[in-house]
Amino acid sequence: MLQVDPITWKRTLYASGLRNTIGFDWQPQTKEMWGVDNGGDAKGDEWPPEELNHIVMGGNYGFPFAYAKREVDQSREDPVGNTKEGWASKTQPSVLEFPAHSAPIAFAFFDSGKNKGDALVCWHGSWNRQNPSGYKVERIKFDSKGNPAGSEDFLTGFLIGNQRFGRPAGLAIGTDVVYISDDANGIIYALKQK
């Protein structure tokens, strides 16, 4: 992840070792950055998990030698001048893990209302596992100190059995409406917040 100065266009490495952190946002109470990371492909149906990471300046999150809570990828060669285990020991561990290949591609916090401080993640859905996973929007609950405290389904019905009916892809959270795009059907859902 790079940080760019909008005046000089100078680029600074902000965080490394992330794999496809497409969705990231700042927690409204703490102003800290959080993001969801896609695990690697072709490593089996159940590993590596998708990750929720607290993204800090200078943090290394392990990819391509480690995932999640410093779990070493034994299929990789050692990095130059180090071992996979040595590399992993200096990385930032994930904070929460989710089923492999669920494909998180959108992540945003509620800035107001009864869910303020909680986040939503769009699970686009797996293409490369025997039993499909994802195909939903999940709410990640954060406590009053800005730490993740669990999760629950927010919008489901895109996957019934092995049949998929849509793929949540993007989201925007307004003051009283949550907009969720579905790129399989080419539509946007508007969910009124109570």
Side-chain angles (χ1 to χ4, degrees):
M1 187 172 284
L2 297 177
Q3 183 179 42
V4 180
D5 184 312
I7 297 170
T8 65
W9 295 101
K10 179 184 176 193
R11 295 181 299 165
T12 304
L13 181 63
Y14 188 87
S16 64
L18 296 162
R19 185 185 183 276
N20 293 350
T21 299
I22 301 167
F24 62 93
D25 199 6
W26 288 263
Q27 210 279 344
Q29 290 131 321
T30 66
K31 309 299 184 205
E32 295 174 324
M33 189 188 305
W34 293 82
V36 284
D37 208 32
N38 286 258
D41 295 325
K43 298 180 186 304
D45 277 4
E46 304 302 326
W47 194 83
E50 313 294 37
E51 307 173 8
L52 173 67
N53 290 308
H54 179 204
I55 302 173
V56 297
M57 181 171 265
N60 177 345
Y61 294 83
F63 181 77
F65 303 105
Y67 294 95
K69 290 188 170 43
R70 301 179 176 136
E71 296 173 33
V72 172
D73 183 350
Q74 295 298 341
S75 71
R76 299 289 307 199
E77 70 287 347
D78 282 341
V80 175
N82 202 345
T83 64
K84 294 181 289 290
E85 294 76 12
W87 171 276
S89 71
K90 295 183 172 100
T91 62
Q92 300 289 324
S94 57
V95 178
L96 290 177
E97 295 81 40
F98 300 92
H101 314 301
S102 296
I105 63 170
F107 178 85
F109 282 100
F110 287 92
D111 288 332
S112 61
K114 67 173 186 168
N115 294 320
K116 182 177 180 177
D118 290 350
L120 293 179
V121 57
C122 286
W123 299 105
H124 196 234
S126 55
W127 60 269
N128 60 346
R129 66 179 282 164
Q130 188 170 0
N131 295 311
S133 178
Y135 303 97
K136 65 180 179 176
V137 179
E138 192 167 2
R139 176 180 161 210
I140 300 176
K141 299 177 185 179
F142 281 70
D143 64 23
S144 61
K145 295 181 180 177
N147 297 310
S151 65
E152 64 185 15
D153 288 345
F154 183 82
L155 179 64
T156 61
F158 298 102
L159 178 69
I160 300 174
N162 282 340
Q163 296 294 312
R164 70 172 191 179
F165 299 94
R167 301 187 84 184
L171 58 92
I173 302 174
T175 26
D176 57 355
V177 179
V178 174
Y179 297 98
I180 298 167
S181 68
D182 171 356
D183 68 359
N185 295 305
I187 58 177
I188 295 175
Y189 304 97
L191 281 71
K192 183 94 172 146
Q193 294 190 68
K194 295 178 182 179

